[in-house]
Amino acid sequence: MVYVLANDGQPLMPTERHGKVCRMLKSGIAKVVKKCPFTIQLQYESERNVQPVALGIDAGSKHVGVSATTKAKVLYESDVELRDDIVKLLATRRQLRRRRRSRKTRYRPARFDNRRRKEGWLAPSIRQKIESHLTVVANVCKILPVSQIIVETASFDIQKIKNPDIQGIEYQQGEQMDFWNIREYVLFRDGHTCQCCKGKSKDKVLNVHHIESRKTGGNAPNNLITLCETCHKGYHNGTVTLPKNIKRGMKFKDAAFMGIMRWTFYNTLKEQYEPDIPVHYTYGYITKNTRINHNLPKGHCIDARCISGNPDAVSDGTYYYQKKVRCHNRQIHKQTILKGGIRKSNQAEYLVRGFRLFDKVRYQGREYFIFGRRKSGFFDIRTLSGEKVNKGSINVKRLTFVDTRKNYLTERRTV
């Protein structure tokens, strides 16, 4: 499928007449504006006869399903993998800033209590994913004449997941009711007894310990247990191990994200595209029923096709797998300090042997992305599924440049 833009940049209907496209490019009446998905722009005035195109969006916390269809044909489908490292990076940055503050400005009063969050504030990890959803929609609208957008975002009743029999006023009577804080609740839940030695150490000092690190698992009660001072120190020194029956409980990070983002994403779409492109909302049970009635397999792209309202649209068997990658790494130095107080730079050169990180290259007839560059000239090239070439070491002389890196790495796949 070749996507076509008018000479003023407005999208037209795509074409499968590849021979005609080649002749237009050779004669200069069209030019290539994007290689993946392959998009051309006409260099002359043309008629604008377009068909109604419905864009279905299957929103998610890790993957986004996208499908643009007419009643008869699938014009575009993609599975977008979102970033999931924002919390980790922010936690690392916070640790480094605190250490630097104590080293250099120990007498300056802290100002973190002087800040006030604006109304409608969202956590950076949530805001980044919502913006990625909006970018995905915008990228499709740039290459196809979308006439309507249908969105499905799931909502989860976390209280119902924990307790299927909950009802009425019980929703207001959570597990931490009448407790001052999480620490007090965890100590009460565990009977003020060390969950490792069961009180055998006779240590009266109790600590609340994270089963998974706070960076990974957060401060949820099911990630906290009571340990005495002796077992707590022994665990961190490596001399004590926790019993095998102590495990982290269920995680609700993805469910909480969907509950927070659903209306923000939908309302932002309405602000950006209406009244030119109407935006509609649908529900997961409708999507599931449509998929089952038409005997379609489960998948992000398939769900998005059902959401678009054209489940019987015929696909050519290809879709685009996209992966959102980090735009900039602003860390100047590596955390490890070498001998002599030398701090090694964390910033790689902009170009190494003429290539940037995540540039698309061709090797032996297949397309890969550069995931690692070495000054020796041996690069680490991979597919988006993680498949390495020659154990992550291939000579740069054997690579052919295809396309400059983008914020969304795009790989064409077949079903």
Side-chain angles (χ1 to χ4, degrees):
M1 189 79 69
V2 177
Y3 302 94
V4 184
L5 305 180
N7 59 343
D8 61 351
Q10 294 300 314
L12 303 175
M13 296 302 292
T15 181
E16 291 181 330
R17 300 176 62 184
H18 299 159
K20 182 178 180 179
V21 171
C22 290
R23 291 190 294 270
M24 294 171 68
L25 293 174
K26 288 181 179 179
S27 61
I29 60 176
K31 67 176 182 179
V32 178
V33 294
K34 188 184 292 186
K35 293 184 178 179
C36 190
F38 194 78
T39 309
I40 64 172
Q41 184 175 9
L42 305 180
Q43 301 298 290
Y44 61 91
E45 289 287 344
S46 60
E47 296 182 357
R48 305 199 178 187
N49 298 323
V50 297
Q51 303 173 23
V53 177
L55 175 60
I57 303 294
D58 180 24
S61 64
K62 295 180 180 178
H63 287 262
V64 183
V66 182
S67 181
T69 62
T70 61
K71 288 187 177 181
K73 183 179 288 188
V74 174
L75 303 181
Y76 176 89
E77 283 187 339
S78 67
D79 181 359
V80 185
E81 181 182 345
L82 303 177
R83 288 181 63 185
D84 205 24
D85 60 345
I86 303 297
V87 174
K88 177 182 176 182
L89 292 173
L90 290 177
T92 302
R93 186 184 70 178
R94 181 173 61 250
Q95 293 171 0
L96 295 175
R97 284 183 172 177
R98 285 180 176 176
R99 286 172 55 192
R100 184 167 63 248
R101 182 184 180 85
S102 64
R103 283 200 316 267
K104 299 181 179 297
T105 58
R106 68 187 72 177
Y107 301 114
R108 192 174 71 191
R111 297 188 297 172
F112 53 81
D113 284 337
N114 300 341
R115 304 295 187 264
R116 180 179 179 274
R117 291 172 177 169
K118 297 180 181 179
E119 188 175 347
W121 177 88
L122 293 173
S125 56
I126 296 174
R127 188 175 70 247
Q128 192 275 335
K129 290 188 178 184
I130 293 175
E131 290 174 353
S132 295
H133 280 71
L134 296 171
T135 301
V136 167
V137 175
N139 289 341
V140 178
C141 292
K142 288 178 182 177
I143 61 174
L144 286 173
V146 176
S147 58
Q148 65 171 332
I149 301 173
I150 304 100
V151 180
E152 183 228 294
T153 59
S155 61
F156 298 90
D157 189 342
I158 297 177
Q159 295 279 52
K160 198 80 171 178
I161 296 174
K162 293 180 180 179
N163 178 16
D165 300 325
I166 193 172
Q167 57 183 345
I169 197 174
E170 294 177 356
Y171 276 98
Q172 303 174 28
Q173 300 171 348
E175 55 187 3
Q176 299 179 50
M177 184 179 178
D178 296 330
F179 291 97
W180 286 102
N181 51 38
I182 298 178
R183 172 185 167 82
E184 184 184 2
Y185 165 73
V186 172
L187 293 174
F188 174 81
R189 181 197 65 190
D190 295 341
H192 291 80
T193 304
C194 176
Q195 298 301 296
C196 183
C197 68
K198 301 298 182 181
K200 294 179 181 179
S201 66
K202 305 297 182 180
D203 195 335
K204 296 182 179 180
V205 179
L206 299 177
N207 293 294
V208 174
H209 171 72
H210 290 83
I211 300 173
E212 292 182 352
S213 67
R214 189 172 69 90
K215 181 192 297 186
T216 305
N219 288 324
N222 60 3
N223 189 39
L224 300 171
I225 57 169
T226 302
L227 293 182
C228 64
E229 184 76 9
T230 303
C231 294
H232 192 236
K233 285 186 176 180
Y235 175 81
H236 287 289
N237 292 334
T239 58
V240 174
T241 57
L242 298 180
K244 293 183 179 180
N245 62 338
I246 296 179
K247 295 181 180 179
R248 200 239 195 264
M250 294 179 64
K251 297 182 181 181
F252 302 102
K253 181 175 68 173
D254 296 329
F257 164 76
M258 295 302 297
I260 296 171
M261 68 86 65
R262 56 188 303 220
W263 294 118
T264 303
F265 175 49
Y266 175 68
N267 292 331
T268 306
L269 281 178
K270 291 179 73 69
E271 292 175 4
Q272 292 184 355
Y273 292 99
E274 288 188 342
D276 297 331
I277 302 176
V279 180
H280 305 292
Y281 191 86
T282 187
Y283 298 93
Y285 71 91
I286 299 176
T287 304
K288 180 179 179 180
N289 185 61
T290 303
R291 186 181 69 247
I292 293 175
N293 289 339
H294 291 81
N295 296 320
L296 295 173
K298 173 67 176 174
H300 299 291
C301 296
I302 301 297
D303 283 349
R305 192 188 307 174
C306 296
I307 293 168
S308 70
N310 301 310
D312 293 326
V314 179
S315 172
D316 61 357
T318 63
Y319 70 99
Y320 295 95
Y321 189 87
Q322 296 181 306
K323 184 175 183 178
K324 179 72 173 72
V325 293
R326 190 177 184 181
C327 301
H328 302 287
N329 183 358
R330 298 182 181 88
Q331 183 178 335
I332 299 175
H333 298 102
K334 292 189 179 296
Q335 297 184 38
T336 305
I337 300 177
L338 305 179
K339 289 184 178 179
I342 300 173
R343 303 187 69 187
K344 192 174 181 180
S345 175
N346 188 60
Q347 301 286 349
E349 295 182 9
Y350 185 78
L351 291 174
V352 177
R353 297 295 183 99
F355 290 93
R356 294 178 61 190
L357 190 67
F358 299 129
D359 277 352
K360 183 182 285 189
V361 296
R362 183 177 291 107
Y363 172 70
Q364 292 184 348
R366 290 188 62 185
E367 292 183 347
Y368 298 90
F369 296 92
I370 295 177
F371 275 74
R373 301 172 297 165
R374 306 181 185 93
K375 289 186 177 180
S376 62
F378 285 86
F379 288 6
D380 178 10
I381 61 174
R382 309 179 191 178
T383 62
L384 292 187
S385 58
E387 177 187 349
K388 292 185 179 181
V389 176
N390 196 27
K391 298 181 180 180
S393 181
I394 195 73
N395 197 318
V396 67
K397 296 180 181 179
R398 305 176 67 180
L399 305 179
T400 304
F401 176 80
V402 176
D403 198 9
T404 307
R405 63 152 288 166
K406 303 291 191 299
N407 295 337
Y408 289 84
L409 308 182
T410 305
E411 187 176 78
R412 189 170 181 267
R413 294 183 177 181
T414 56
V415 180

